[in-house]
Amino acid sequence: MQKYVDSQDTICIFVTPFNDAPEANIRKLIIYHLTSKSKDFHHRFVTLVLPRKNEPEKVHGSDEDRDLGIRIRQDEVQATFKKLNLDFFQKNILFYDSLRYYRDDIVKLNEIYDEEDVQADKNELIEAIAGVVERRRNILLDEIKAIKESSAKIKNSDALKESEIKVIQNAIQKIRDLRDLSKRVPSRDYEDFIDEYVNKYYRKVYPAWNTKHAIHRNFGYYQPRDIDIYYDARVVAGGIDEDKMLKKFTKEVKQELESILNDLTSANKSLKTFIPELVKNFYGLYDDFIYEVGKEIEEEVTRKLLPRSEDSDFWNALIAEKGKERKRGETFVDNVCQIFKRELEKETNLNTFLKSKAEYHWEKLVTKILGFFGEK
């Protein structure tokens, strides 16, 4: 899934039933894969809603009008996405009922319809998806054009004045000063990561004891529910939303770097076209920063919880918690979470690991920004 989300030349279609749109699985995928992205993913993502029978006519407030019911549900789907901090295009929320013109008791057309009605609906859906592709193509072409125009203006511009050079040099120094993340994010901020992952995510997202037991029996990945606790660690480390973990820690310094870049547009007229493109690049680099740190956390959790087999004392201890006789005040969930925490704190504490990787990849990000100005 991740490679399709990241690929800028891929159109992704999420399919969901009408009554639950967007259903829980879609929301989970979005939380996992999209909220960590600041890229313009919404240009290339489609939500395909599948009504059945007369569901649109039964929507509250539709007055049994199919088109009105679809518009109401379309607004509701978009409102749900907005609550997840995702601004999906309304025209990318499509509806298609392949059995709209067929009888309920047998797969046969109702007498008042013919094959042309069926094909017209198919054509409408195909045209709508083609519209998504065409809009994405035009966006990419516009980006290429803007970059070429920016480069030409900079290349043909007059030599920078001394005052303009000084403004740029000052900006470069300010950017250099942001390279060491440890000066901006104190060590104590990382100390809550294991607790955030184990007690505030694992404990609450998988509340049922039998779900936890199934995860333990399968050594961290329960295929029937598509549960992968290693990928969960990546998601939690990066931040499920802008006010959690790495996204929260780096929000202020990210905004500061962005402001430094934007302020440069007053230095020289040619920079007014170049800097916005550079800011876009910065957004992409920030996405990569979150992704790379999260990926290393996922790999470290995988390493710490090896072997993923019955040869592991750790997994056997978790499995043995089912039906275990407990002392007064003990609970299954508390014991499970405590076992997890102890394992993640062994050797290199996972909190410390997150700190080191965040600082390493942030320095790489800032170095790449300086590279746009010919600096190292």
Side-chain angles (χ1 to χ4, degrees), residues 125-376:
L125 175 64
I126 292 170
E127 287 172 8
I129 295 175
V132 175
V133 175
E134 184 64 19
R135 286 192 295 276
R136 181 60 187 161
R137 177 178 177 274
N138 290 337
I139 287 168
L140 293 175
L141 289 174
D142 288 343
E143 288 178 357
I144 293 170
K145 181 181 177 183
I147 292 170
K148 286 182 177 179
E149 289 177 352
S150 298
S151 300
K153 286 181 180 179
I154 293 170
K155 186 176 180 180
N156 298 326
S157 65
D158 297 331
L160 292 174
K161 298 175 183 177
E162 187 174 340
S163 60
E164 294 171 339
I165 293 174
K166 190 170 183 179
V167 169
I168 294 173
Q169 288 175 338
N170 287 339
I172 290 172
Q173 186 55 53
K174 288 179 181 177
I175 295 171
R176 280 202 201 104
D177 292 341
L178 297 178
R179 188 150 42 184
D180 187 352
L181 191 61
S182 67
K183 294 180 179 178
R184 302 300 301 270
V185 181
S187 297
R188 65 176 179 273
D189 284 359
Y190 301 96
E191 292 174 1
D192 292 333
F193 171 59
I194 294 177
D195 186 62
E196 191 79 25
Y197 172 47
V198 175
N199 284 320
K200 296 179 183 177
Y201 188 90
Y202 182 73
R203 177 191 286 262
K204 295 180 180 178
V205 172
Y206 311 118
W209 71 265
N210 54 347
T211 299
K212 288 186 175 68
H213 183 63
I215 294 171
H216 305 157
R217 292 289 303 173
N218 290 276
F219 315 116
Y221 181 65
Y222 183 46
Q223 193 170 7
R225 291 272 305 278
D226 195 26
I227 295 172
D228 181 350
I229 68 164
Y230 308 98
Y231 192 90
D232 287 347
R234 175 196 292 201
V235 173
V236 174
I240 294 174
D241 57 46
E242 299 299 320
D243 294 313
K244 295 286 176 63
M245 296 312 300
L246 207 51
K247 289 181 184 175
K248 177 184 178 181
F249 304 160
T250 58
K251 181 188 291 186
E252 186 177 306
V253 68
K254 175 192 175 188
Q255 291 172 343
E256 190 171 332
L257 206 161
E258 184 179 347
S259 294
I260 292 170
L261 294 175
N262 283 323
D263 288 346
L264 279 173
T265 56
S266 61
N268 180 276
K269 64 180 180 180
S270 62
L271 293 179
K272 289 182 179 179
T273 52
F274 172 70
I275 293 301
E277 297 302 321
L278 179 52
V279 171
K280 280 187 181 180
N281 272 284
F282 168 53
Y283 291 156
L285 291 173
Y286 183 79
D287 285 338
D288 293 340
F289 159 69
I290 296 292
Y291 174 82
E292 291 299 333
V293 176
K295 185 175 72 172
E296 297 220 36
I297 285 290
E298 179 183 8
E299 291 170 355
E300 180 66 2
V301 172
T302 302
R303 186 192 69 78
K304 276 181 169 289
L305 303 188
L306 287 174
R308 292 174 63 172
S309 71
E310 293 177 354
D311 296 329
S312 166
D313 293 338
F314 166 73
W315 288 111
N316 280 325
L318 289 177
I319 293 168
E321 283 298 322
K322 179 192 173 185
K324 180 180 176 182
E325 187 174 337
R326 307 183 197 287
K327 298 176 182 177
R328 187 173 181 177
E330 272 190 303
T331 68
F332 169 82
V333 175
D334 285 342
N335 286 1
V336 162
C337 289
Q338 193 58 43
I339 292 170
F340 259 110
K341 285 190 69 176
R342 282 200 302 265
E343 197 70 17
L344 296 176
E345 289 169 351
K346 282 183 180 178
E347 300 174 19
T348 302
N349 187 299
L350 197 61
N351 296 335
T352 305
F353 184 85
L354 173 62
K355 176 181 182 296
S356 67
K357 293 305 175 183
E359 291 171 356
Y360 171 74
H361 286 289
W362 179 263
E363 183 176 351
K364 287 180 66 175
L365 181 158
V366 176
T367 299
K368 287 177 181 177
I369 292 293
L370 290 169
F372 284 103
F373 298 97
E375 299 288 317
K376 292 183 179 180

Side-chain angles (χ1 to χ4, degrees), residues 15-121:
V15 181
T16 179
F18 185 89
N19 278 344
D20 298 325
E23 64 177 323
N25 286 339
I26 300 295
R27 295 196 296 273
K28 180 182 176 182
L29 281 171
I30 286 171
I31 289 172
Y32 258 31
H33 298 288
L34 303 187
T35 54
S36 64
K37 300 294 178 183
S38 61
K39 298 172 185 173
D40 292 334
F41 61 83
H42 49 283
H43 291 286
R44 55 187 182 82
F45 283 82
V46 177
T47 304
L48 178 58
V49 183
L50 304 180
R52 294 180 58 208
K53 299 181 180 178
N54 298 319
E55 287 177 336
E57 288 89 334
K58 297 175 182 177
V59 170
H60 179 70
S62 68
D63 295 327
E64 298 187 357
D65 184 313
R66 178 183 179 82
D67 291 338
L68 179 56
I70 286 176
R71 286 199 299 274
I72 292 172
R73 183 50 49 86
Q74 190 178 50
D75 289 339
E76 291 171 348
V77 171
Q78 189 170 38
T80 299
F81 286 142
K82 283 187 175 180
K83 288 178 183 177
L84 298 173
N85 298 317
L86 298 168
D87 191 15
F88 269 73
F89 287 143
Q90 190 132 344
K91 62 178 66 175
N92 284 21
I93 302 172
L94 309 178
F95 294 78
Y96 178 63
D97 181 359
S98 62
L99 298 178
R100 177 182 176 185
Y101 301 112
Y102 290 84
R103 290 168 48 179
D104 294 338
D105 57 340
I106 189 172
V107 184
K108 184 177 180 180
L109 280 171
N110 278 311
E111 293 178 359
I112 58 173
Y113 301 116
D114 56 32
E115 290 293 344
E116 289 184 1
D117 296 310
V118 177
Q119 191 60 47
D121 266 16

